Amino acid sequence: ASRKTSPLPIVCEICPRRQGAFIRVFTKKETKAKWVHVVCAKWLALQYVDEKTGEVIQGNGSVVEDFADMRDYFRNNDYKCCLCEGTRGCFITCSVEGCEKTMHVTCARSSGLCNVNHGANHLGDVITEKSW
């Protein structure tokens, strides 16, 4: 007999999507584990870090750097996604000249309506040396 399993109670801290591949976020202050989609971390140029020290490491890891400052920037400036109208998490800026719309990475990718750059930070600047 087959048994149905419940999904894990993991939620991406960057976007509203609940499905996908997740990676843990390094946090010094939080006791509860924080998770983000691998794709969200990759597109926002988050780096792999040492699980104990939080220092950036080369190659693959199991934890990405804390992004609390980036998240707080969006919270404090009342940003929202132009596609889902959600305010949770972090956003990227459309790369079309003259367009200043912001959106979640996963919303932009699934809609196909907006142009976004891999490795863009929360100000829209592409950080190529930090991109995976």
Side-chain angles (χ1 to χ4, degrees):
S2 71
R3 216 169 100 180
K4 288 189 177 185
T5 59
S6 298
L8 294 174
I10 296 174
V11 177
C12 182
E13 297 290 324
I14 292 178
C15 82
R17 310 257 182 210
R18 293 183 178 265
Q19 302 85 9
F22 290 89
I23 189 165
R24 203 162 42 86
V25 177
F26 176 82
T27 55
K28 285 184 180 179
K29 300 174 188 172
E30 314 271 343
T31 56
K32 182 181 174 189
K34 301 283 184 182
W35 298 86
V36 295
H37 288 110
V38 173
V39 70
C40 290
K42 181 175 181 175
W43 277 75
L44 289 170
L46 297 180
Q47 293 289 287
Y48 287 118
V49 296
D50 181 273
E51 210 169 322
K52 292 182 174 92
T53 66
E55 297 293 321
V56 173
I57 60 173
Q58 298 300 315
N60 294 336
S62 60
V63 180
V64 293
E65 66 185 305
D66 190 5
F67 62 94
D69 290 343
M70 188 186 315
R71 182 194 59 218
D72 292 347
Y73 171 85
F74 291 109
R75 251 188 218 157
N76 296 335
N77 291 288
D78 297 321
Y79 279 83
K80 72 176 184 177
C81 178
C82 70
L83 299 169
C84 77
E85 299 188 0
T87 57
R88 173 184 184 80
C90 299
F91 307 91
I92 52 175
T93 305
C94 182
S95 64
V96 172
E97 190 173 331
C99 183
E100 296 181 8
K101 292 181 179 177
T102 57
M103 65 225 62
H104 296 108
V105 169
T106 52
C107 291
R109 289 180 48 122
S110 64
S111 75
L113 300 173
C114 297
N115 289 334
V116 293
N117 288 320
H118 172 260
N121 69 10
H122 62 288
L123 300 175
D125 301 323
V126 176
I127 316 274
T128 54
E129 67 272 8
K130 284 185 68 181
S131 301
W132 288 354

